[in-house]
Amino acid sequence: MTKIRKYKGRIIGRSITEIYVRALHDTNLVLGEILIAGEGDTRFFLRVVDVSYGWEAGNAGWAIGVAGSMIEMEQSDRGFVMHDRARRNFEIGKCVIMGYTKQGEFRRAKTLPELFSQVFIPDADDFNFIKDYAGDLRVGKLRSGEELLDFEVGMGSGYIQSHIGIFATTGMGKSNLMKRLAASVMESHNVGMLIFDPHGEYYEGGERDKRGLKHHFRAKDNLTVFSYRKLSEKSNGLRINHREIDIEDLLHLFEFSQAQMEAAYALHNCFGNDWLKILSESEGAELAKEMPSSKFHEMTIAVLQRRARQILKQEIFHKDDTVSVTDAIITELKKAKVVLIDLSGLSGWRELLPAAVIARKVFDVYRHAFRKPEEFRSLPKVSIVLEEAQRVLGQLSGIKENIFTRICREGRKFKVGLTAITQQPKLIDEEIISQFNTLFVLGLADERDRNIIRSSARQDFSELSREIQMLQPGEALISSPQAPFAIPAKVDLYEDHIKNQKESVKTRDEIPSPDRNFFG
Amino acid sequence: MNESNEFKIKGLAEAVQFIADIFKQDPKAGSFRDEEKRHLPESIKIVSDVCPERIRSALGGNKVDTIVAIDGGSSSLLASGNFEIGVCRASMVTFHNERRISFEVTPEWIVPAGEGLSSPIISAFCNTNQATMDCVSEWRFMTNICREMLEYSCLRSLAGRDDNPAMILIDGALGCPSGVDPADYSDLLLQLHRKNKVVVCVSKSSTLRWADNCPLLSRMAEMTMERPKGDIWFLRISELRDGYEESADIPNLYLANLYAGLGPILRLDIPSIYGRDEESIICALAGHAEDPEFPGYPYPLVEAHRLARILPARKKELFGLIKMLAVDSGVGDTVFDAAFADYHDRLNADVSSEILALGPIAL
């Protein structure tokens, strides 16, 4: 049966890099809207990247003159009547060719659709070709402008170790997207996800009427929570012992002078992993005796001591060597679970230090496992989720190399990826941002933020800047290595998702998923 | 342009003085020039007293939902001495409740005209359009005559329709085209009248002169300057001579402004068969002249004009087509170019700013 399509306009020009469409009378074009053109088995996909006014009268100053007349005519009792306004004034959409399908196969466009071709609104069937690219970690529905198509989209769990960037201005839906992504991880149960939650919003939902991960129907099996505080539901205590804190974990969190840094390394050389505890408990003179070959100024040691005491005074950090949950966290990740580290109420280094210690431990375990192929193959891929990631991935020279930048550069090889959430991607080092293979871009008001994405993204965002600026809360563009173009999506509202989700999701008991092809 | 340059242009000062002299006359006095009266049909008598007191506002009238506009477009494609080939076409646009519901454009008509060539063309047209041809004007006007006949064919097609009452607007003055029998033309207007179709001819310009060569329309503009914005005013400037009252094709002439303060002063030719109901007709017409694209001008005529107009690009295409066919039929390419090639494209190329900066070159 011939499909009846909704007619939207005709192509009126102009080149392979920019196609112009005159919209049908009384029809609006929407930024980001996807249109299709072409007949037979060849179908061009066009994305509206700009919308402008058009009119039938030829001269450029027509609208100015008409508006002037309207103003004049309004001043009389008669006013004005514009004949056939919808036909005479119309919209012109500037589009880019996303590509075309021929016999169901998607290709980059090296040719043009015919001039004056009719353009139509696509339906879900037209996107069958991206089924393979939509990924198994679904986050929402395919979107064309403001219309939703009955087609689920997301990212492939196979790319989770290639790093994910979630970029959005406040209020655009970062947290909802993250919860929705974590929900998919719980449902698919084939990758691990370690989430550091500084606001408690992922666990309980934060605001009233919001839902957290604990409300997900798979939470009982696939969510493990660690918290330093008492939570309403059963959770594990979050404890890290002093031996687990490495100098590397501290370097990007505190300002160290050269002398202080050298003293810290000297202490570590002298006392091994107990350096922090000994530093916090000893007197300066005693330490000097213990390190006769090193001559550090009394003040240098005093500064380090003060910091060591501050750190070990925190409830999370313990002086008892036997107290630690990092192994338990790693064990849960190996079971392809979502592990939520509740750090709510903490900020600054108090929040970042536990995150750095745990992330480094995960990275080290996976890195060491890499040397044992059998063991490594059985490990599920893991993503470490960090809020306000610009704090540790910043391009400012003051930000030192740390475990998170190291994961960005080396983690993919060891199946450990980073999910960086930020509202200021411009503050992230450009080289680091280029490591993110999957981007979820929500509304970004700042042009500099959009520019950094444009210059770093794997896909062409050059014409999408205006669309990104205009995205409504929950609307996103998903750029991933497997997709042929940045996929426009509307992220499911997490609360709606868990309400609607039935227990029909395939249960997977065999965990974790063997990743036999990882070594290629 | 600086002051010294202004006076270097030959004739400029005289031209300005000429215009000033024309408009110096008292707007409240004067009458039509005798020679203007001679240019009008015998049936029409121009009123002599054009004064502000006779100008009336149109205050009431029924709205006309359906309005049809007819216009023609013509242009010369190539010319060489006593020979010219022109092109013309006509368009007809129908609006209903301010929305265009249909439009038609006649096929283009290529008109070869020259001494001894016009008659066969007109005869052929008359044969196919049941029109008679009893006079052929100067051959240089042949393209315009053909355009008028195409407009006439549009008008005639309306007589066969039994649809809603409508107002029919024709761009230009009311008059029987040269190739049409006046009796047929009169009969057509009567048929339309019987079908509740009112014909109004609308001219944006008029050659009528007043007093000592002063354009009447500009004089009227001065006389009506104080009228309120949006006012619909009209002035009847003709009477029918005795014995001509029964002729359908004889118009009453009006000057009117359908949107005072913004719109142009128009000459309206309204067939006398509609009697003296001019106020309601003008009012109904003004109801279609409220479009901000051209305030005071019936908008359907704007669209009819656009559709009929022969655009320069089309002229080029047609020129090329004629040349191709002529060469195919044995006319030498060089011979054709020698006679008809238009080199203005080359001559009109923009002069560089460096040359302009040199200023006028004294000869």
Side-chain angles (χ1 to χ4, degrees):
Chain A
M1 198 174 77
T2 309
K3 192 187 282 187
I4 297 170
R5 296 183 177 282
K6 196 170 172 197
Y7 181 33
K8 193 85 183 195
R10 280 187 188 271
I11 291 176
I12 56 169
R14 164 178 186 185
S15 70
I16 203 153
T17 54
E18 48 182 27
I19 297 283
Y20 286 84
V21 170
R22 175 182 166 159
L24 198 65
H25 312 147
D26 279 329
T27 303
N28 292 115
L29 294 168
V30 181
L31 214 55
E33 183 172 7
I34 297 173
L35 303 169
I36 55 169
E39 296 296 326
D41 63 348
T42 303
R43 193 146 300 144
F44 286 85
F45 287 74
L46 312 173
R47 170 184 251 140
V48 179
V49 293
D50 198 7
V51 183
S52 58
Y53 295 111
W55 48 80
E56 284 200 334
N59 52 325
W62 178 85
I64 296 172
V66 170
S69 294
M70 286 175 171
I71 292 165
E72 290 269 346
M73 294 168 92
E74 277 162 351
Q75 290 166 16
S76 80
D77 293 340
R78 282 173 69 187
F80 62 85
V81 177
M82 194 152 189
H83 287 63
D84 226 351
R85 193 172 193 149
R87 175 177 57 80
R88 290 159 66 194
N89 308 331
F90 44 85
E91 291 184 1
I92 295 177
K94 178 185 173 187
C95 306
V96 290
I97 306 181
M98 301 157 81
Y100 71 98
T101 52
K102 191 159 190 169
Q103 290 157 347
E105 187 193 337
F106 187 83
R107 301 173 189 189
R108 302 271 178 209
K110 295 190 182 76
T111 178
L112 281 167
E114 207 172 302
L115 188 66
F116 303 127
S117 294
Q118 289 182 319
V119 295
F120 298 96
I121 296 172
D123 55 34
D125 288 350
D126 292 309
F127 292 96
N128 280 337
F129 71 95
I130 60 166
K131 262 192 178 138
D132 296 338
Y133 314 126
D136 54 333
L137 300 179
R138 305 288 165 82
V139 297
K141 290 263 192 317
L142 185 65
R143 174 178 58 81
S144 174
E146 292 176 342
E147 299 291 319
L148 296 189
L149 297 161
D150 190 19
F151 199 103
E152 288 190 313
V153 290
M155 67 169 290
S157 59
Y159 293 89
I160 204 163
Q161 85 287 5
S162 298
H163 315 301
I164 301 165
I166 297 179
F167 306 141
T169 307
T170 306
M172 285 294 148
K174 290 189 295 287
S175 304
N176 179 68
L177 168 60
M178 196 53 238
K179 284 193 287 186
R180 180 65 186 88
L181 187 60
S184 275
V185 171
M186 282 195 272
E187 288 155 22
S188 71
H189 194 37
N190 61 358
V191 291
M193 184 170 261
L194 173 62
I195 304 174
F196 296 107
D197 181 5
H199 309 302
E201 60 188 335
Y202 296 131
Y203 176 63
E204 289 181 309
E207 299 164 40
R208 211 175 144 176
D209 301 330
K210 296 277 183 191
R211 295 286 176 174
L213 297 183
K214 74 170 191 177
H215 299 109
H216 192 276
F217 69 98
R218 302 299 294 269
K220 192 179 164 204
D221 299 325
N222 293 340
L223 175 71
T224 306
V225 182
F226 293 87
S227 177
Y228 73 98
R229 62 186 179 120
K230 194 171 168 57
L231 297 176
S232 57
E233 310 277 327
K234 187 184 164 194
S235 67
N236 304 284
L238 179 61
R239 295 287 181 271
I240 294 168
N241 77 52
H242 67 96
R243 291 176 63 84
E244 293 176 301
I245 302 172
D246 196 280
I247 294 175
E248 190 197 336
D249 302 331
L250 304 174
L251 289 182
H252 70 286
L253 300 178
F254 299 99
E255 280 294 320
F256 286 104
S257 67
Q258 186 64 26
Q260 289 162 358
M261 206 156 31
E262 284 172 15
Y265 278 110
L267 286 162
H268 189 265
N269 283 341
C270 188
F271 303 116
N273 287 342
D274 289 323
W275 73 282
L276 203 61
K277 184 182 172 191
I278 292 171
L279 177 64
S280 71
E281 291 177 344
S282 306
E283 293 301 321
E286 288 174 36
L287 288 172
K289 270 188 214 168
E290 294 287 335
M291 299 187 297
S293 58
S294 310
K295 288 185 179 169
F296 293 104
H297 195 279
E298 209 175 300
M299 282 301 293
T300 305
I301 299 295
V303 170
L304 291 178
Q305 257 183 335
R306 200 162 53 245
R307 283 180 185 158
R309 285 168 187 160
Q310 273 181 326
I311 292 166
L312 295 181
K313 210 165 66 181
Q314 301 302 310
E315 208 176 332
I316 292 175
F317 299 106
H318 221 275
K319 289 182 181 174
D320 183 345
D321 301 0
T322 60
V323 175
S324 177
V325 294
T326 48
D327 288 341
I329 289 169
I330 292 164
T331 303
E332 295 300 291
L333 288 173
K334 286 179 177 176
K335 291 177 187 168
K337 287 188 175 185
V338 172
V339 176
L340 186 66
I341 309 294
D342 175 57
L343 298 169
S344 52
L346 302 178
S347 61
W349 66 265
R350 290 171 181 81
E351 171 209 341
L352 288 174
L353 183 55
V357 172
I358 296 168
R360 185 175 45 74
K361 290 277 278 186
V362 172
F363 180 68
D364 285 346
V365 166
Y366 270 69
R367 193 162 54 95
H368 290 131
F370 183 71
R371 294 185 209 131
K372 302 167 193 164
E374 271 308 308
E375 182 192 335
F376 189 70
R377 280 192 192 105
S378 68
L379 291 177
K381 290 162 186 163
V382 165
S383 184
I384 298 172
V385 181
L386 191 67
E387 291 264 0
E388 303 294 345
Q390 78 282 356
R391 294 176 296 173
V392 292
L393 305 176
Q395 56 186 328
L396 303 171
S397 55
I399 302 289
K400 299 178 178 64
E401 177 79 11
N402 58 58
I403 183 58
F404 300 107
T405 56
R406 196 170 169 203
I407 289 172
C408 283
R409 292 195 175 97
E410 302 171 34
R412 189 174 61 83
K413 184 176 171 187
F414 305 118
K415 293 192 188 178
V416 179
L418 190 74
T419 298
I421 304 173
T422 181
Q423 43 183 305
Q424 293 177 295
K426 63 176 177 289
L427 297 181
I428 295 181
D429 188 277
E430 206 165 329
E431 187 249 321
I432 294 288
I433 222 169
S434 67
Q435 303 286 340
F436 297 144
N437 273 350
T438 301
L439 298 183
F440 290 92
V441 182
L442 297 107
L444 281 170
D446 191 326
E447 191 182 0
R448 289 170 299 169
D449 288 323
R450 301 195 297 274
N451 286 344
I452 193 84
I453 293 170
R454 191 164 57 186
S455 60
S456 313
R458 293 294 166 97
Q459 276 153 348
D460 185 11
F461 273 74
S462 54
E463 292 285 357
L464 304 181
S465 182
R466 194 169 279 112
E467 183 181 344
I468 295 170
Q469 186 184 2
M470 302 295 179
L471 288 173
Q472 293 291 309
E475 293 178 350
L477 290 173
I478 306 172
S479 163
S480 58
Q482 75 272 31
F485 48 79
I487 295 174
K490 171 83 175 175
V491 180
D492 300 330
L493 195 63
Y494 176 73
E495 287 71 24
D496 290 346
H497 173 72
I498 57 172
K499 194 172 155 192
N500 299 334
Q501 188 64 283
K502 303 281 185 285
E503 278 286 359
S504 58
V505 176
K506 193 171 80 174
T507 306
R508 292 187 51 155
D509 292 321
E510 72 285 6
I511 45 175
S513 67
D515 194 6
R516 298 285 167 197
N517 297 322
F518 191 81
F519 289 100
Chain B
M1 188 184 288
N2 61 37
E3 197 182 357
S4 59
N5 271 343
E6 283 175 19
F7 289 100
K8 280 181 186 170
I9 301 173
K10 194 175 175 183
L12 179 63
E14 290 80 359
V16 173
Q17 188 58 48
F18 176 73
I19 293 168
D21 288 345
I22 288 172
F23 288 96
K24 216 184 286 175
Q25 300 154 56
D26 180 2
K28 293 187 176 59
S31 61
F32 284 99
R33 287 161 58 97
D34 287 344
E35 59 265 40
E36 290 298 336
K37 293 175 189 171
R38 284 202 298 275
H39 286 154
L40 290 167
E42 275 181 20
S43 52
I44 294 175
K45 182 170 67 179
I46 287 287
V47 295
S48 55
D49 55 333
V50 177
C51 58
E53 292 71 34
R54 286 192 58 242
I55 299 171
R56 288 172 54 196
S57 285
L59 300 172
N62 296 326
K63 187 172 167 10
V64 178
D65 295 333
T66 305
I67 190 155
V68 183
I70 297 171
D71 196 6
S74 59
S75 184
S76 172
L77 292 175
L78 51 89
S80 180
N82 63 345
F83 180 87
E84 183 184 60
I85 292 183
V87 59
C88 61
R89 66 180 173 192
S91 71
M92 184 161 65
V93 186
T94 306
F95 278 76
H96 184 72
N97 289 336
E98 283 88 34
R99 197 177 170 91
R100 192 175 80 184
I101 54 168
S102 71
F103 67 92
E104 292 164 47
V105 183
T106 65
E108 287 150 332
W109 187 5
I110 305 291
V111 183
E115 285 171 32
L117 279 173
S118 302
S119 295
I121 298 293
I122 298 295
S123 300
F125 175 82
C126 293
N127 288 339
T128 50
N129 292 283
Q130 293 86 49
T132 59
M133 169 74 193
D134 56 2
C135 65
V136 175
S137 305
E138 165 70 33
W139 63 267
R140 287 185 178 82
F141 300 129
M142 277 313 303
T143 308
N144 282 340
I145 291 168
C146 291
R147 173 179 55 76
E148 284 173 7
M149 291 168 77
L150 290 176
E151 290 172 13
Y152 168 71
S153 69
C154 289
L155 184 65
R156 206 174 56 187
S157 71
L158 293 173
R161 294 188 193 170
D162 288 319
D163 46 15
N164 297 327
M167 179 173 275
I168 300 166
L169 305 182
I170 300 172
D171 185 57
L174 184 75
C176 180
S178 301
V180 177
D181 186 331
D184 288 348
Y185 190 68
S186 182
D187 186 51
L188 174 61
L189 291 176
L190 278 171
Q191 282 181 55
L192 291 166
H193 177 47
R194 282 195 286 272
K195 293 190 174 182
N196 284 320
K197 292 179 169 64
V198 176
V199 175
V200 179
C201 294
V202 181
S203 306
K204 295 177 287 297
S205 60
S206 169
T207 56
L208 289 173
R209 295 289 184 273
W210 190 31
D212 192 14
N213 210 25
C214 176
L216 178 62
L217 296 185
S218 60
R219 183 56 69 209
M220 290 301 299
E222 198 166 0
M223 259 194 255
T224 56
M225 220 180 277
E226 302 300 320
R227 298 192 83 91
K229 189 182 280 182
D231 183 30
I232 306 164
W233 63 253
F234 66 98
L235 171 69
R236 185 166 167 172
I237 58 167
S238 72
E239 295 284 354
L240 299 183
R241 288 189 188 280
D242 293 343
Y244 289 98
E245 293 86 347
E246 298 303 315
S247 304
D249 59 329
I250 300 174
N252 287 318
L253 306 186
Y254 298 85
L255 296 179
N257 191 329
L258 305 180
Y259 209 112
L262 288 172
I265 297 170
L266 304 170
R267 175 181 145 176
L268 305 179
D269 294 14
I270 302 175
S272 54
I273 41 171
Y274 307 137
R276 301 301 295 261
D277 196 18
E278 71 260 284
E279 184 174 342
S280 63
I281 291 173
I282 291 171
C283 233
L285 178 62
H288 293 273
E290 294 172 334
D291 193 282
E293 179 159 341
F294 194 169
Y297 189 72
Y299 181 73
L301 278 173
V302 174
E303 295 230 349
H305 172 82
R306 284 198 184 128
L307 289 168
R309 188 183 160 211
I310 313 282
L311 293 168
R314 183 60 183 154
K315 279 174 65 178
K316 270 190 177 175
E317 280 175 9
L318 291 171
F319 181 89
L321 182 67
I322 290 169
K323 181 178 173 181
M324 187 184 77
L325 295 173
V327 170
D328 281 354
S329 68
V331 177
D333 191 55
T334 314
V335 172
F336 189 93
D337 280 346
F340 303 118
D342 185 353
Y343 298 106
H344 282 91
D345 279 355
R346 295 186 198 179
L347 295 171
N348 292 345
D350 287 341
V351 178
S352 74
S353 54
E354 287 81 5
I355 292 175
L356 286 174
L358 296 173
I361 298 165
L363 296 174

